[in-house]
Amino acid sequence: MRKLILHYHLFKNAGSSIDEILRQSFGDTWLKFDKETSSAKILPADMQGFIDRHPTARAISSHQAMPPLPQGEYEVFPLVFLRHPLDRARSAYLFEWKKQLGLAEPKGTFAEYVREKLDPQNHGPIADFQVLQLSNESVEGDKPRHATTGEARLERAKRFLEELAFFGLVERFHESLLRMHFCLQYHFPELKVINRQINTTQVAAQQLEDKLMTVRRELGEALYGELCDRNKYDLELYKFACVRFDSVVPRES
């Protein structure tokens, strides 16, 4: 049976580094699939069609792809990395308001960025983003479908992680790459897993606790509390993922 890797490239979750590994490993048989509209989502039926139209693809990366896994005459090996949502928010700020704009310094403060992105009219990427990306229930169509409650969306995202032979944590990137290589090397012997972080916006060696202290200091107590509230389910998902990461012995798929 045909085998391929599907990288769910979650925004600011070390996806560029994973894409570089896939590019160097698979060359022209690594493909990207995203729609022109940045807010678009790719549901499993769309991904199934893309896979069928590219029979030589060995690996596919997509910012917009959402579970469930596509089904067909092939076996899909998903790649997903999670990140602490508050640290992820600051990384998104440094990318969108500095690096993406080609600026030496961000165009505004982190607090200003968070206020703008938490505005419900803006649909910003820093409010329970990871749970939303991993809890879609729809297989086909133009729009995802989610459960009506945050608790139900969280449980669906947890179930998706539980089904995976492997998932990574940005904060434990090197260890995640070792597990990734262990789980995929038999099926993809050409995969070259090298710890090469791309598109980073923060000091990699800085401890998570220090980063969270910086977030709290730059936002102030009120806005920090609001950011935590708006990431209630992402924080729960991250906690769940950390426990599972520590308890699961890596296994070959």
Side-chain angles (χ1 to χ4, degrees):
M1 179 180 287
R2 178 186 176 191
K3 300 176 181 180
L4 61 96
I5 293 170
L6 176 55
H7 175 209
Y8 291 92
H9 184 162
L10 303 186
F11 177 56
K12 298 315 299 172
N13 280 19
S16 295
S17 300
I18 300 303
D19 280 354
E20 180 63 14
I21 290 172
L22 298 178
R23 184 190 69 80
Q24 295 215 3
S25 298
F26 298 106
D28 292 341
T29 62
W30 167 66
L31 304 177
K32 290 185 176 183
F33 177 34
D34 285 304
K35 297 180 179 179
E36 291 184 6
T37 304
S38 61
S39 61
K41 302 299 181 185
I42 294 173
L43 302 188
D46 279 343
M47 184 58 72
Q48 289 166 212
F50 184 83
I51 293 171
D52 290 339
R53 293 192 299 273
H54 298 85
T56 63
R58 291 281 280 162
I60 298 169
S61 296
S62 175
H63 288 88
Q64 300 170 348
M66 305 181 81
L69 296 181
Q71 303 294 319
E73 297 300 316
Y74 42 76
E75 185 176 4
V76 173
F77 293 78
L79 287 183
V80 178
F81 275 70
L82 297 181
R83 186 173 191 171
H84 192 288
L86 304 191
D87 180 48
R88 183 184 163 277
R90 193 168 190 278
S91 180
Y93 156 66
L94 292 173
F95 178 75
E96 290 192 303
W97 278 25
K98 179 182 175 182
K99 186 170 184 176
Q100 193 174 47
L101 300 176
L103 300 176
E105 297 294 335
K107 71 173 187 176
T109 68
F110 182 36
E112 290 170 337
Y113 173 84
V114 169
R115 289 191 190 97
E116 178 178 304
K117 297 301 179 179
L118 290 184
D119 185 329
Q121 296 182 349
N122 290 330
H123 304 289
I126 60 169
D128 282 331
F129 175 84
Q130 295 169 108
V131 166
L132 283 172
Q133 285 295 112
L134 299 179
S135 61
N136 167 58
E137 299 178 350
S138 182
V139 173
E140 58 185 2
D142 296 326
K143 296 181 180 180
R145 184 178 70 248
H146 295 94
T148 57
T149 68
E151 289 81 2
R153 292 192 292 270
L154 173 62
E155 289 306 311
R156 187 170 182 88
K158 285 181 178 180
R159 288 199 303 273
F160 176 68
L161 289 185
E162 287 177 327
E163 294 170 358
L164 302 181
F166 159 83
F167 66 83
L169 297 174
V170 174
E171 291 78 9
R172 296 169 68 175
F173 191 67
H174 179 67
E175 184 179 353
S176 295
L177 290 185
L178 294 177
R179 294 190 182 197
M180 172 179 157
H181 184 252
F182 178 87
C183 290
L184 297 177
Q185 62 180 336
Y186 175 79
H187 305 284
F188 304 92
E190 67 269 53
L191 183 64
K192 304 177 185 70
V193 178
I194 302 172
N195 190 352
R196 182 185 290 109
Q197 291 183 288
I198 306 296
N199 199 28
T200 57
T201 56
Q202 302 187 79
V203 179
Q206 188 179 12
Q207 295 297 313
L208 177 61
E209 293 79 6
D210 295 333
K211 293 180 179 181
L212 297 181
M213 287 178 62
T214 298
V215 168
R216 192 167 197 156
R217 183 178 65 253
E218 293 186 356
L219 295 183
E221 290 302 315
L223 188 56
Y224 176 82
E226 183 179 354
L227 183 62
C228 289
D229 288 344
R230 295 288 296 278
N231 284 279
K232 173 183 177 181
Y233 300 110
D234 258 22
L235 286 165
E236 286 294 322
L237 181 65
Y238 180 77
K239 181 179 178 181
F240 170 84
C242 287
V243 171
R244 187 162 180 81
F245 190 89
D246 285 331
S247 64
V248 173
V249 177
R251 67 186 189 279
E252 291 191 6
S253 302

